[in-house]
Amino acid sequence: MSPKEVRYGDYIAWENLPHLWCAGCGHGVILKAITMAAAELAIPKEKLVLATGIGCSGRSGDYVTCHRFQGTHGRTLAFATGIKLARPDVTVICLMGDGDGAAIGGNHLLHAARRNIDVTAVIANNLNYGMTGGQFSPATPLGSVTSTSRSGKTEATMDLCALADVAGANFVARTTVYHVREVQRFIERAIKTKGFSMVEVLTPCPTYYGRYNEIGDSVGMLNWFKNRTLPLEKYQALPPEEKKNYFWRGIMVERERPDFLETYRSSVARRSN
Ligand SMILES: Cc1ncc(C[n+]2csc(CCOP(=O)(O)OP(=O)(O)O)c2C)c(N)n1
Ligand code: SF4
């Protein structure tokens, strides 16, 4: 099949629409960007696996025609690791919420990056736990109002990209649903990268985060992402006291560390010679 013959719509289970997300939720935009990236790379749907966790983002698997797997909350990356090791020939995309990927699954994120498993992790970071009623996650910004921090979150924010970097991921990037073309481009780059790659996508949850923090509906949240993000280089040049007002976006890491299977296979070959 030539690249032109693969369309994003081929991966969408149209018969399962309309989706169950709230009006203005960003999860559908991220799913479309994933399918557009897969179409651009002409990945046959028989060779594509979407592994998801529990949470609003976890329902994305209901809307695709490629292989899909919904793991338990926080364990998605462990399942995705197993899928990739059993079937190295397939492209595995692991789609997680920030609760899924940073809180209960934070440990798996660290070790998937450290092992450099050839999986693309997409973190749909809506800055809270959407499905269970808007509680804060480790990635919720300091001071945010959530259902578990009525007077503002007091715990420090976990920077998922920095974490993936120090753990050894080969590709790490962050963008937002407002910058939708960038979401697709970064996911394409991530899929093409051999080894562990992570794309964090800041995405609106108007129902909880937008409402509790008086940012407003989806349009309000998209404007907020537009106004509160800076390209990485500009962000780095800010004085420290101003950094807390912005999220950076861009590509943070691109490296070529051998992935898990390559290291494993050469170790086995060395021992059997
Ligand atoms: C082992 C386990 N712990 C807790 C839960 C309850 N639970 C379901 S979804 C969720 C949080 C979802 O938040 P996130 O991963 O950020 O996804 P979102 O709903 O925001 O897309 C939690 C805590 C669960 N289903 N399983
Ligand atoms: S609660 Fe938030 S994350 Fe969940 S579907 Fe609604 S807007 Fe999306």
Side-chain angles (χ1 to χ4, degrees), residues 20-27 55-57 126 128-134 203-209:
L20 53 62
W21 296 307
C22 308
C25 177
H27 287 333
C56 300
S57 51
N126 59 10
N128 70 178
Y129 292 0
M131 181 165 271
T132 45
T203 178
C205 172
T207 302
Y208 293 115
Y209 194 85

Side-chain angles (χ1 to χ4, degrees), residues 31-139:
L31 183 62
K32 183 171 177 188
I34 291 173
T35 60
M36 288 182 78
E40 190 60 35
L41 299 174
I43 304 171
K45 62 185 182 188
E46 301 74 26
K47 293 277 185 180
L48 181 65
V49 180
L50 183 70
T52 65
I54 307 294
C56 300
S57 51
R59 300 304 297 267
S60 302
D62 294 355
Y63 309 117
V64 292
T65 56
C66 62
H67 298 287
R68 50 91 173 232
F69 182 90
Q70 186 169 23
T72 45
H73 188 48
R75 310 294 168 234
T76 331
L77 262 173
F79 292 113
T81 299
I83 294 166
K84 185 67 193 181
L85 297 188
R87 285 289 304 272
D89 58 312
V90 300
T91 299
V92 182
I93 299 178
C94 187
L95 175 60
M96 296 165 278
D98 49 310
D100 196 1
I104 189 167
N107 197 28
H108 292 294
L109 184 68
L110 277 181
H111 295 296
R114 176 182 63 83
R115 293 186 181 115
N116 213 12
I117 302 290
D118 187 19
V119 161
T120 293
V122 177
I123 311 263
N125 182 4
N126 59 10
L127 311 171
N128 70 178
Y129 292 0
M131 181 165 271
T132 45
Q135 297 86 355
F136 67 77
S137 87

Side-chain angles (χ1 to χ4, degrees), residues 51-266:
T52 65
I54 307 294
C56 300
S57 51
R59 300 304 297 267
S60 302
D62 294 355
Y63 309 117
V64 292
T65 56
C66 62
H67 298 287
R68 50 91 173 232
F69 182 90
Q70 186 169 23
T72 45
H73 188 48
R75 310 294 168 234
T76 331
L77 262 173
F79 292 113
T81 299
I83 294 166
K84 185 67 193 181
L85 297 188
R87 285 289 304 272
D89 58 312
V90 300
T91 299
V92 182
I93 299 178
C94 187
L95 175 60
M96 296 165 278
D98 49 310
D100 196 1
I104 189 167
N107 197 28
H108 292 294
L109 184 68
L110 277 181
H111 295 296
R114 176 182 63 83
R115 293 186 181 115
N116 213 12
I117 302 290
D118 187 19
V119 161
T120 293
V122 177
I123 311 263
N125 182 4
N126 59 10
L127 311 171
N128 70 178
Y129 292 0
M131 181 165 271
T132 45
Q135 297 86 355
F136 67 77
S137 87
T140 303
L142 195 67
S144 301
V145 177
T146 70
S147 59
T148 41
S149 58
R150 301 309 298 161
S151 42
K153 187 191 174 207
T154 50
E155 291 177 18
T157 312
M158 181 186 275
D159 184 336
L160 284 163
C161 292
L163 210 66
D165 175 19
V166 292
N170 269 2
F171 181 87
V172 180
R174 177 192 289 151
T175 186
T176 85
V177 157
Y178 176 81
H179 304 88
V180 61
R181 293 281 173 215
E182 204 168 64
V183 181
Q184 182 192 333
R185 265 206 326 277
F186 286 175
I187 293 173
E188 271 174 51
R189 298 266 288 264
I191 294 172
K192 284 200 275 186
T193 300
K194 189 103 177 113
F196 188 75
S197 50
M198 191 189 89
V199 181
E200 180 185 356
V201 186
L202 301 173
T203 178
C205 172
T207 302
Y208 293 115
Y209 194 85
R211 188 159 52 94
Y212 286 155
N213 292 283
E214 298 176 3
I215 300 168
D217 59 6
S218 187
V219 175
M221 284 218 71
L222 290 173
N223 275 323
W224 191 70
F225 289 137
K226 177 184 167 196
N227 298 328
R228 294 284 299 270
T229 50
L230 285 176
L232 183 56
E233 311 71 43
K234 282 198 177 158
Y235 175 87
Q236 280 165 338
L238 286 178
E241 67 280 8
E242 273 193 46
K243 284 191 168 149
K244 65 178 185 317
N245 299 324
Y246 294 96
F247 300 96
W248 62 264
R249 62 182 176 82
I251 296 173
M252 182 194 228
V253 175
E254 271 189 299
R255 55 169 81 95
E256 293 182 7
R257 201 163 64 87
D259 79 301
F260 176 86
L261 273 175
E262 190 182 334
T263 315
Y264 175 76
R265 283 177 180 140
S266 47

